[in-house]
Structure formats: C-alpha cells, structure tokens
Amino acid sequence: FSCQNLMPSIHVAADVGLTASPASTSSPALSVTREDGEVLIVVDVQNDFCPGGALEVPEGDAILPLVNGLVNIYGAEHTIFTQDWHPGGHASFASSHAGKNPYDTTELEYGTQTLWPDHCVQGSKGAQFHEQLVVPSNACVVRKGDNIKVDSYSAFTENDQKTLTGLADVIKSRGYTKVSVVGLAFDFCVRWTAEDAAACEGVTRVRVFRDATRSVGLPGTVESAEESLAAKNVVLETCASS
C-alpha cells in the first residue's frame, strides 16, 4: 500500500523534502511489540513544540528516545507521522486577533478556539521535524492545519469537525484495527488524534503511550484529556520497560 495519490494533505516523506533520518542506535529498553493490524501514529514532533520553539511543550524533546525506539519497532510501513503546517496569519494565532494574547480564546465559525503563538508556519524551521526524530523516507506524513481559517488538533478531522485529512482512509485501506499514538502534545493533538482513531471504522483498540508524550498543561487540559480519552475507551499505557 502507498500513501501517494490520496488526499492532498497526505504525503510520502521523501516527496516533501524529508530525507531519511538515521535509525536510532541507542534506544531505551521498550516493553512493546507491534501486533498484527497495528499502526503507530507519531504526532507533531516538530521544532516549535520542543524546547526553544515558539510553542514549547515542556520537555517535549525528552520523548525522542522512546519515539525513535517505537519507530524502529513498528517500521516505516506501519508508522504515520503528522505535521502541523500552518500558513502565516492563521486564525489560531493570537497575532491574527487585535487585543488578544497567546492562550486567550476567541470564537471562530466552528466554536471556541484557543489562540496560540505563531508556530509551525509552512516552510519555517519551527515546522520541521526535530532533527533527532527518525523519519523513514518512505513513511506517510499527514500535514494538518493548512486551512487558514480552521485549526486542526486531530490528524483525522479539523476543528470544524467537517474537514477530513484522509487519514481515516489510510487506516481503512491498510486494514489497521489497532492504533497506538505518541507525540506532542498529550492534552491537545495527541488527545484528539487518539479519540478520532477510536471512531474509525474497523478500529477495535486505541492506546496512547503516555511516557512518549508531553503536555502543554494549560489549566485543566491534562485532566480533561484523561477523562475524555477514558470515556472513549482509549487506554493509557507506558512503553518503556520498568
């Protein structure tokens, strides 16, 4: 199966200028094996979400050894990467709204939107994957958030709950029935990606490897994510060997 010629938001890594990263040679011990019918989704491990980035997730880069270890276990064929990919002036940027500051909220056409610092602008260094992230050149990459009027936390559905990225079609076409999710950030894009994965036709189990995520940590967001994931039967596990 190829991820070519699907939705415009889905790409082969090499086709969007991503060269193969060297395989990780010093991964920590993991307690995970890939099961039949299982795919790994690596969410938004990008420079702007790591220390020093425009929308820094505390300790965001600390997950890299675990994520790379998981990519090595699942392999390129069964790993999908997501990439926040905003145009300049995006509606989710506080700078696009007079008098608003980052982490304020505003009302957009589809409802309440948290406003963020400008981040992951198309073509910028901040939008690039972290240089230590293992990204096989033949892996699928889902770019999201490229509609200037609509944010996209989930890798499946934009925040308007109408616009689809095409990732559900990839899951169905490849016959995946189990989905594991890691990346940044747990309380936003990981959460909504996992919840939408649980709603995919044919998917019977979704888990988040909690130790391979980190959170933005706005007031109440982590607790809300944990409650919502549990309500949708998404399981929180750890991948590192104890």
Side-chain angles (χ1 to χ4, degrees):
F1 179 88
S2 172
C3 58
Q4 293 174 300
N5 302 318
L6 288 171
M7 297 285 284
S9 56
I10 299 181
H11 310 269
V12 178
D15 291 347
V16 290
L18 296 171
T19 56
S21 303
S24 176
T25 57
S26 58
S27 297
L30 301 179
S31 58
V32 175
T33 57
R34 179 186 171 269
E35 300 178 14
D36 289 343
E38 184 179 9
V39 63
L40 175 70
I41 300 178
V42 178
V43 177
D44 297 359
V45 184
Q46 296 166 254
N47 290 325
D48 268 346
F49 296 128
C50 291
L55 182 41
E56 178 177 335
V57 177
E59 299 182 344
D61 58 348
I63 69 173
L64 281 160
L66 293 177
V67 172
N68 287 340
L70 290 167
V71 172
N72 290 339
I73 289 170
Y74 283 76
E77 183 180 358
H78 304 298
T79 302
I80 295 170
F81 296 83
T82 79
Q83 188 176 26
D84 231 18
W85 195 247
H86 296 308
H90 194 266
S92 71
F93 295 169
S95 62
S96 299
H97 303 270
K100 292 289 189 178
N101 296 309
Y103 311 111
D104 288 346
T105 60
T106 194
E107 295 301 315
L108 298 181
E109 292 180 5
Y110 52 85
T112 302
Q113 171 68 48
T114 299
L115 296 176
W116 307 105
D118 291 23
H119 66 281
C120 296
V121 174
Q122 295 173 7
S124 69
K125 181 178 179 180
Q128 294 174 8
F129 289 125
H130 192 285
E131 64 181 6
Q132 295 178 19
L133 179 67
V134 172
V135 183
S137 60
N138 58 334
C140 275
V141 176
V142 179
R143 286 180 164 172
K144 59 189 181 65
D146 58 351
N147 182 337
I148 196 168
K149 296 182 179 180
V150 184
D151 206 2
S152 185
Y153 297 154
S154 170
F156 290 88
T157 310
E158 295 188 359
N159 288 12
D160 60 5
Q161 298 301 305
K162 293 187 272 187
T163 307
L164 305 178
T165 66
L167 181 53
D169 292 333
V170 174
I171 299 296
K172 182 177 180 180
S173 297
R174 289 186 172 183
Y176 290 126
T177 58
K178 302 168 187 174
V179 180
S180 293
V181 187
V182 299
L184 303 170
F186 170 75
D187 43 347
F188 285 92
C189 296
V190 169
R191 168 195 170 174
W192 267 279
T193 296
E195 291 182 1
D196 282 353
C200 282
E201 180 181 350
V203 171
T204 59
R205 190 208 68 198
V206 178
R207 61 182 174 181
V208 172
F209 291 125
R210 188 68 177 87
D211 52 344
T213 71
R214 292 295 187 273
S215 300
V216 175
L218 300 182
T221 56
V222 172
E223 296 81 4
S224 176
E226 291 173 343
E227 292 173 4
S228 184
L229 289 166
K232 293 176 172 60
N233 297 315
V234 176
V235 179
L236 301 184
E237 298 183 3
T238 58
C239 61
S241 298
S242 55

